[in-house]
């Protein structure tokens, strides 16, 4: 199994039409925006994609179209587990892999119940591996249905199987990230941090990249941060940019993913704000915060002279 590239891996949102069908034109515009902004890979059919609100057919349709749009440009990974039944998961893993993705992602909290230990998790991972041939795999500590974090020990075992190449970490803890990165050091199993606040710490300790939801609002500063880090290390200026992004990140988590679609629409991307996840109406204060986020983003672009793709 080859290593996946370092850098920015957006957790892609899904554009819907006004009738709540997948919007292919919007998906193409969105994917091209990520690519132009410097994304190094794509995570399609994830929580940000409203994956639990899609049918199995829609998950395959969405993923296959992202793969086509990213062909010969960047690799794509996508979720393949939506059941607590291992054989059902294994069958869908094969289907999602047939779309052309580079790895199929397993949701940790769907493989074991909250009170089941890692020995049970390991046994179920072994069963999935036995039922899915040589398909490259990844794992995602998805917070839905509940957040199931992995230990460094089981990650070390997973790396030793040579089947796992992507891990989306949601621990939001610098020490935990460092231990996990150390456990898989020297292998093809890469750690990709979902959290903005610990982004630079995680890169310092060996994570291969980041997958924050705020990159669905403004991927450009994240791409800039990663390129600068991998070129010059953790400079004073980079710490300053990271501080701004950390503060801005507090706004992006409200009304998500609706707010991301609204923000992109305000930026000029031709997509609707429709979501399949019920969203409360934004208050006057919420709209002021979204507008302030836009002003902050544009100010960062001037300060750091990175190109806006929209």
């Amino acid at each position: 199994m080859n290593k996946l590239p370092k850098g920015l891996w957006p957790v892609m949102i899904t554009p819907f039409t006004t009738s709540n069908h997948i919007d292919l034109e919007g998906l193409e515009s969105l994917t091209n925006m990520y690519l132009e902004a410097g994304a190094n890979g794509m995570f399609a059919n994830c929580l940000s994609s409203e994956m639990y609100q899609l049918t199995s057919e829609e998950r395959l349709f969405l993923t296959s179209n992202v793969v086509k749009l990213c062909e010969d440009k960047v690799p794509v990974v996508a979720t393949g587990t939506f059941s607590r039944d291992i054989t059902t998961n294994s069958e869908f893993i094969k289907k999602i892999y047939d779309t052309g993705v580079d790895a199929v992602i397993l949701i940790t909290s769907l493989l074991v119940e909250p009170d089941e230990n890692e020995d049970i998790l390991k046994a179920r991972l072994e069963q999935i591996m036995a039922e899915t041939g040589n398909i490259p795999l990844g794992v995602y500590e998805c917070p839905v249905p509940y957040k199931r974090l992995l230990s460094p020990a089981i990650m070390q075992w997973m790396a030793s199987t040579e089947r796992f190449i992507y891990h989306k970490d949601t621990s939001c803890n610098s020490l935990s990230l460092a231990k996990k990165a150390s456990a898989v050091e020297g292998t093809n199993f890469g750690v990709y941090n979902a959290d903005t606040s610990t982004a630079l710490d995680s890169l310092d300790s060996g994570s291969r990249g980041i997958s924050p939801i705020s990159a669905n609002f403004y991927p450009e500063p994240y791409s800039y941060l990663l390129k600068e880090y991998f070129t010059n290390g953790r400079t004073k200026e980079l710490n300053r940019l990271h501080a701004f992004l950390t503060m801005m990140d507090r706004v992006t988590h409200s009304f998500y993913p609706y707010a991301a679609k609204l923000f992109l629409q305000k930026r000029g991307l031709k997509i609707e704000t429709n979501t399949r996840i019920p969203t409360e109406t934004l208050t006057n204060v919420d709209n002021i915060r979204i507008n302030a986020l836009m002003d902050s983003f544009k100010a960062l672009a001037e300060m750091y002279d990175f190109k806006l793709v929209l």
Side-chain angles (χ1 to χ4, degrees), residues 86 106 108 111 118-132 137-139 150 154 157-158 163-164:
I86 297 300
L106 317 180
T108 56
L111 300 181
E118 281 197 338
D119 288 336
I120 296 173
L121 174 58
K122 181 181 177 183
R124 290 178 183 156
L125 289 171
E126 288 175 326
Q127 184 180 344
I128 287 174
M129 287 189 289
E131 293 179 0
T132 55
L137 302 171
V139 279
L150 299 176
I154 197 165
W157 170 79
M158 292 163 73
R163 286 286 300 279
F164 292 88

Side-chain angles (χ1 to χ4, degrees), residues 246-287:
T246 297
M247 295 300 294
M248 292 163 63
D249 191 64
R250 302 305 299 168
V251 179
T252 62
H253 288 252
S254 299
F255 303 96
Y256 184 79
Y258 167 80
K261 297 179 182 183
L262 176 64
F263 194 88
L264 290 174
Q265 191 182 74
K266 287 176 177 287
R267 289 191 59 185
L269 192 69
K270 293 182 179 180
I271 61 170
E272 302 293 335
T273 58
N274 292 47
T275 68
R276 293 186 181 178
I277 298 172
T279 303
E280 296 177 7
T281 302
L282 270 65
T283 66
N284 174 250
V285 169
D286 297 318
N287 279 301

Side-chain angles (χ1 to χ4, degrees), residues 205-259:
S205 62
S207 289
R208 293 186 60 79
I210 56 175
S211 295
I213 69 167
S214 292
N216 287 322
F217 293 72
Y218 36 79
E220 298 97 330
Y222 285 98
S223 179
Y224 176 90
L225 179 142
L226 286 157
K227 288 177 182 175
E228 285 294 310
Y229 180 88
F230 289 130
T231 301
N232 301 310
R234 191 168 179 171
T235 63
K236 181 179 179 180
E237 281 302 300
L238 208 58
N239 281 331
R240 186 182 179 211
L241 171 60
H242 180 247
F244 284 122
L245 291 175
T246 297
M247 295 300 294
M248 292 163 63
D249 191 64
R250 302 305 299 168
V251 179
T252 62
H253 288 252
S254 299
F255 303 96
Y256 184 79
Y258 167 80

Side-chain angles (χ1 to χ4, degrees), residues 64-77:
S64 62
N65 277 282
V66 171
V67 169
K68 290 175 186 175
L69 291 166
C70 292
E71 190 174 10
D72 300 324
K73 298 181 180 75
V74 299
V76 178
V77 301

Side-chain angles (χ1 to χ4, degrees), residues 27 44 57-69 96 98-101:
L27 181 65
E57 292 73 21
E58 286 176 321
R59 292 164 185 153
L60 294 169
F61 178 76
L62 175 70
T63 303
S64 62
N65 277 282
V66 171
V67 169
K68 290 175 186 175
L69 291 166
I96 206 86
D98 285 342
T99 65
V101 295

